[in-house]
Amino acid sequence: MQTYEPKKWRTDLIIFLDTDNPAYKNPHFFLNDLNCKLENKRKSPQDKPMCSLISYKTLATRNLPKIKKEFDYHFLLDKANIYSDEQVQLKEFYSLLNTNLLDYKYLDSILMAFKGYSYFKLAGYDYLIRSVMEDMVSN
C-alpha cells in the first residue's frame, strides 16, 4: 500500500482467489505479509487503504456442462428476446455463452467484476483497474 495519497483518494488492493487452493491455507502465503484478508472490507470512505480478498472459483475449476460447439446464431436471434426479464427467454442466450465463451482465456477476469460488483457499489468505489496474474498461487 502506498504511504501517501490525496485526502479524497483511497487505493485498495482487491484480490479474487480460490480459497480452496492449498496455497491460500499455507501460513507463509505471501498475501499474509500484505495483511490481505477476506474480512477486510471498506465500510466508509475514511477507512485506510487495505487489501481485501474475495473468494472466486475460476471457470476451469467449476463443474460446467460441456456443450456441442455448433450453434445456429440466426436461431438464437429468432427465438430469444435477450431484452426480456424472463429467465426462460435467456436460456438459449446463456447456451451460446457457455458454448463459445468458456474457451475465452480472460473471461474469469471479467466475471470477477460482476462477482464483486455489490461490494464495489456498497464500498463507494469510483474506479476499477483490472489486472490479470495467472496462476499466481498454483503449486
PDB file of all heavy atoms in Angstrom, residues 67-78:
ATOM      1  N   ILE A  67     -20.922 -28.396 -23.873  1.00  0.00           N
ATOM      2  CA  ILE A  67     -21.985 -28.250 -24.859  1.00  0.00           C
ATOM      3  C   ILE A  67     -21.367 -28.372 -26.244  1.00  0.00           C
ATOM      4  O   ILE A  67     -20.244 -27.934 -26.469  1.00  0.00           O
ATOM      5  CB  ILE A  67     -22.688 -26.892 -24.684  1.00  0.00           C
ATOM      6  CG1 ILE A  67     -23.289 -26.803 -23.279  1.00  0.00           C
ATOM      7  CG2 ILE A  67     -23.749 -26.688 -25.737  1.00  0.00           C
ATOM      8  CD1 ILE A  67     -23.838 -25.446 -22.932  1.00  0.00           C
ATOM      9  N   LYS A  68     -22.120 -28.946 -27.157  1.00  0.00           N
ATOM     10  CA  LYS A  68     -21.596 -29.077 -28.521  1.00  0.00           C
ATOM     11  C   LYS A  68     -21.219 -27.707 -29.081  1.00  0.00           C
ATOM     12  O   LYS A  68     -21.802 -26.692 -28.731  1.00  0.00           O
ATOM     13  CB  LYS A  68     -22.603 -29.791 -29.414  1.00  0.00           C
ATOM     14  CG  LYS A  68     -23.886 -29.020 -29.628  1.00  0.00           C
ATOM     15  CD  LYS A  68     -24.826 -29.787 -30.531  1.00  0.00           C
ATOM     16  CE  LYS A  68     -26.071 -28.921 -30.769  1.00  0.00           C
ATOM     17  NZ  LYS A  68     -26.981 -29.531 -31.681  1.00  0.00           N
ATOM     18  N   LYS A  69     -20.244 -27.693 -29.968  1.00  0.00           N
ATOM     19  CA  LYS A  69     -19.678 -26.444 -30.470  1.00  0.00           C
ATOM     20  C   LYS A  69     -20.476 -25.791 -31.593  1.00  0.00           C
ATOM     21  O   LYS A  69     -20.282 -24.633 -31.875  1.00  0.00           O
ATOM     22  CB  LYS A  69     -18.245 -26.676 -30.943  1.00  0.00           C
ATOM     23  CG  LYS A  69     -17.289 -26.940 -29.813  1.00  0.00           C
ATOM     24  CD  LYS A  69     -17.092 -25.688 -29.005  1.00  0.00           C
ATOM     25  CE  LYS A  69     -16.137 -25.919 -27.863  1.00  0.00           C
ATOM     26  NZ  LYS A  69     -15.998 -24.813 -26.992  1.00  0.00           N
ATOM     27  N   GLU A  70     -21.373 -26.526 -32.275  1.00  0.00           N
ATOM     28  CA  GLU A  70     -22.149 -25.883 -33.345  1.00  0.00           C
ATOM     29  C   GLU A  70     -23.308 -25.099 -32.732  1.00  0.00           C
ATOM     30  O   GLU A  70     -23.965 -25.568 -31.824  1.00  0.00           O
ATOM     31  CB  GLU A  70     -22.734 -26.917 -34.312  1.00  0.00           C
ATOM     32  CG  GLU A  70     -21.706 -27.733 -35.033  1.00  0.00           C
ATOM     33  CD  GLU A  70     -21.503 -29.084 -34.382  1.00  0.00           C
ATOM     34  OE1 GLU A  70     -22.468 -29.636 -33.853  1.00  0.00           O
ATOM     35  OE2 GLU A  70     -20.368 -29.564 -34.396  1.00  0.00           O
ATOM     36  N   PHE A  71     -23.535 -23.926 -33.259  1.00  0.00           N
ATOM     37  CA  PHE A  71     -24.648 -23.130 -32.749  1.00  0.00           C
ATOM     38  C   PHE A  71     -25.207 -22.286 -33.880  1.00  0.00           C
ATOM     39  O   PHE A  71     -24.451 -21.663 -34.628  1.00  0.00           O
ATOM     40  CB  PHE A  71     -24.179 -22.231 -31.600  1.00  0.00           C
ATOM     41  CG  PHE A  71     -25.331 -21.707 -30.793  1.00  0.00           C
ATOM     42  CD1 PHE A  71     -25.821 -22.430 -29.727  1.00  0.00           C
ATOM     43  CD2 PHE A  71     -25.931 -20.512 -31.124  1.00  0.00           C
ATOM     44  CE1 PHE A  71     -26.890 -21.957 -28.982  1.00  0.00           C
ATOM     45  CE2 PHE A  71     -26.998 -20.042 -30.392  1.00  0.00           C
ATOM     46  CZ  PHE A  71     -27.470 -20.766 -29.315  1.00  0.00           C
ATOM     47  N   ASP A  72     -26.505 -22.278 -34.017  1.00  0.00           N
ATOM     48  CA  ASP A  72     -27.166 -21.514 -35.069  1.00  0.00           C
ATOM     49  C   ASP A  72     -27.501 -20.120 -34.520  1.00  0.00           C
ATOM     50  O   ASP A  72     -28.454 -19.950 -33.771  1.00  0.00           O
ATOM     51  CB  ASP A  72     -28.432 -22.243 -35.517  1.00  0.00           C
ATOM     52  CG  ASP A  72     -29.136 -21.523 -36.638  1.00  0.00           C
ATOM     53  OD1 ASP A  72     -28.711 -20.408 -37.014  1.00  0.00           O
ATOM     54  OD2 ASP A  72     -30.123 -22.074 -37.155  1.00  0.00           O
ATOM     55  N   TYR A  73     -26.701 -19.127 -34.880  1.00  0.00           N
ATOM     56  CA  TYR A  73     -26.895 -17.768 -34.374  1.00  0.00           C
ATOM     57  C   TYR A  73     -28.235 -17.177 -34.816  1.00  0.00           C
ATOM     58  O   TYR A  73     -28.875 -16.457 -34.060  1.00  0.00           O
ATOM     59  CB  TYR A  73     -25.754 -16.859 -34.841  1.00  0.00           C
ATOM     60  CG  TYR A  73     -24.433 -17.248 -34.253  1.00  0.00           C
ATOM     61  CD1 TYR A  73     -23.572 -18.096 -34.949  1.00  0.00           C
ATOM     62  CD2 TYR A  73     -24.049 -16.791 -33.005  1.00  0.00           C
ATOM     63  CE1 TYR A  73     -22.348 -18.453 -34.404  1.00  0.00           C
ATOM     64  CE2 TYR A  73     -22.842 -17.151 -32.455  1.00  0.00           C
ATOM     65  CZ  TYR A  73     -21.995 -17.981 -33.163  1.00  0.00           C
ATOM     66  OH  TYR A  73     -20.795 -18.336 -32.625  1.00  0.00           O
ATOM     67  N   HIS A  74     -28.666 -17.498 -36.032  1.00  0.00           N
ATOM     68  CA  HIS A  74     -29.950 -16.970 -36.506  1.00  0.00           C
ATOM     69  C   HIS A  74     -31.092 -17.538 -35.677  1.00  0.00           C
ATOM     70  O   HIS A  74     -32.044 -16.829 -35.353  1.00  0.00           O
ATOM     71  CB  HIS A  74     -30.148 -17.289 -37.993  1.00  0.00           C
ATOM     72  CG  HIS A  74     -29.115 -16.625 -38.851  1.00  0.00           C
ATOM     73  ND1 HIS A  74     -29.068 -15.262 -39.018  1.00  0.00           N
ATOM     74  CD2 HIS A  74     -28.075 -17.135 -39.556  1.00  0.00           C
ATOM     75  CE1 HIS A  74     -28.054 -14.952 -39.798  1.00  0.00           C
ATOM     76  NE2 HIS A  74     -27.431 -16.073 -40.137  1.00  0.00           N
ATOM     77  N   PHE A  75     -30.983 -18.797 -35.314  1.00  0.00           N
ATOM     78  CA  PHE A  75     -31.987 -19.420 -34.460  1.00  0.00           C
ATOM     79  C   PHE A  75     -32.077 -18.675 -33.127  1.00  0.00           C
ATOM     80  O   PHE A  75     -33.152 -18.400 -32.626  1.00  0.00           O
ATOM     81  CB  PHE A  75     -31.627 -20.898 -34.225  1.00  0.00           C
ATOM     82  CG  PHE A  75     -32.453 -21.557 -33.167  1.00  0.00           C
ATOM     83  CD1 PHE A  75     -33.762 -21.932 -33.432  1.00  0.00           C
ATOM     84  CD2 PHE A  75     -31.931 -21.800 -31.905  1.00  0.00           C
ATOM     85  CE1 PHE A  75     -34.534 -22.548 -32.450  1.00  0.00           C
ATOM     86  CE2 PHE A  75     -32.699 -22.407 -30.932  1.00  0.00           C
ATOM     87  CZ  PHE A  75     -33.998 -22.780 -31.214  1.00  0.00           C
ATOM     88  N   LEU A  76     -30.935 -18.317 -32.580  1.00  0.00           N
ATOM     89  CA  LEU A  76     -30.904 -17.603 -31.306  1.00  0.00           C
ATOM     90  C   LEU A  76     -31.641 -16.273 -31.423  1.00  0.00           C
ATOM     91  O   LEU A  76     -32.479 -15.939 -30.598  1.00  0.00           O
ATOM     92  CB  LEU A  76     -29.465 -17.360 -30.853  1.00  0.00           C
ATOM     93  CG  LEU A  76     -29.336 -16.447 -29.624  1.00  0.00           C
ATOM     94  CD1 LEU A  76     -29.852 -17.147 -28.394  1.00  0.00           C
ATOM     95  CD2 LEU A  76     -27.915 -16.010 -29.437  1.00  0.00           C
ATOM     96  N   LEU A  77     -31.328 -15.521 -32.443  1.00  0.00           N
ATOM     97  CA  LEU A  77     -31.935 -14.199 -32.591  1.00  0.00           C
ATOM     98  C   LEU A  77     -33.430 -14.291 -32.887  1.00  0.00           C
ATOM     99  O   LEU A  77     -34.196 -13.416 -32.486  1.00  0.00           O
ATOM    100  CB  LEU A  77     -31.213 -13.413 -33.681  1.00  0.00           C
ATOM    101  CG  LEU A  77     -29.745 -13.106 -33.373  1.00  0.00           C
ATOM    102  CD1 LEU A  77     -29.077 -12.440 -34.562  1.00  0.00           C
ATOM    103  CD2 LEU A  77     -29.626 -12.227 -32.137  1.00  0.00           C
ATOM    104  N   ASP A  78     -33.855 -15.346 -33.573  1.00  0.00           N
ATOM    105  CA  ASP A  78     -35.281 -15.537 -33.846  1.00  0.00           C
ATOM    106  C   ASP A  78     -36.041 -15.993 -32.611  1.00  0.00           C
ATOM    107  O   ASP A  78     -37.187 -15.618 -32.399  1.00  0.00           O
ATOM    108  CB  ASP A  78     -35.487 -16.575 -34.960  1.00  0.00           C
ATOM    109  CG  ASP A  78     -35.030 -16.051 -36.314  1.00  0.00           C
ATOM    110  OD1 ASP A  78     -34.898 -14.819 -36.452  1.00  0.00           O
ATOM    111  OD2 ASP A  78     -34.785 -16.882 -37.198  1.00  0.00           O
TER     112      ASP A  78
END
